[in-house]
Amino acid sequence: MADQDTLGYEQARDELVDVVRRLEAGGSTLEESLALWERGEQLAKVCRNWLEGARARLDAALAEESGEAAGDGPGAPGAAEEE
């Protein structure tokens, strides 16, 4: 999705909040409301992708930290050496 490459999380979230406000305010035609809803879905997906990426990075960092703390890290006694 092009938005994922161009919009940061905060930008997508702020635009999504604006879309929701516009939909809640009413006064739009059916066609305008549908276009807003579709845009909101796109923005929600961008936000979800950013959050999933952040979660994966945190999980990887925590797993690495946990492995090192447990003595499983590189250079730990008993760690396999590269040949």
Side-chain angles (χ1 to χ4, degrees), residues 17-40:
V17 167
D18 183 55
V19 166
V20 170
R21 283 187 186 138
R22 290 171 61 190
L23 284 168
E24 288 177 341
S28 299
T29 65
L30 177 59
E31 196 62 36
E32 291 168 337
S33 294
L34 286 172
L36 284 169
W37 180 81
E38 289 170 343
R39 180 62 178 157

Side-chain angles (χ1 to χ4, degrees), residues 21-79:
R21 283 187 186 138
R22 290 171 61 190
L23 284 168
E24 288 177 341
S28 299
T29 65
L30 177 59
E31 196 62 36
E32 291 168 337
S33 294
L34 286 172
L36 284 169
W37 180 81
E38 289 170 343
R39 180 62 178 157
E41 288 292 322
Q42 292 171 345
L43 293 165
K45 185 174 182 181
V46 170
C47 290
R48 189 170 38 255
N49 288 340
W50 275 107
L51 292 172
E52 288 171 357
R55 169 56 73 189
R57 288 176 60 189
L58 287 172
D59 288 346
L62 290 172
E64 182 179 308
E65 183 179 293
S66 172
E68 290 175 4
D72 297 346

Side-chain angles (χ1 to χ4, degrees), residues 1 6 8-9 14 19 35 45 63 67:
M1 173 184 298
T6 59
Y9 171 77
D14 291 347
V19 166
K45 185 174 182 181

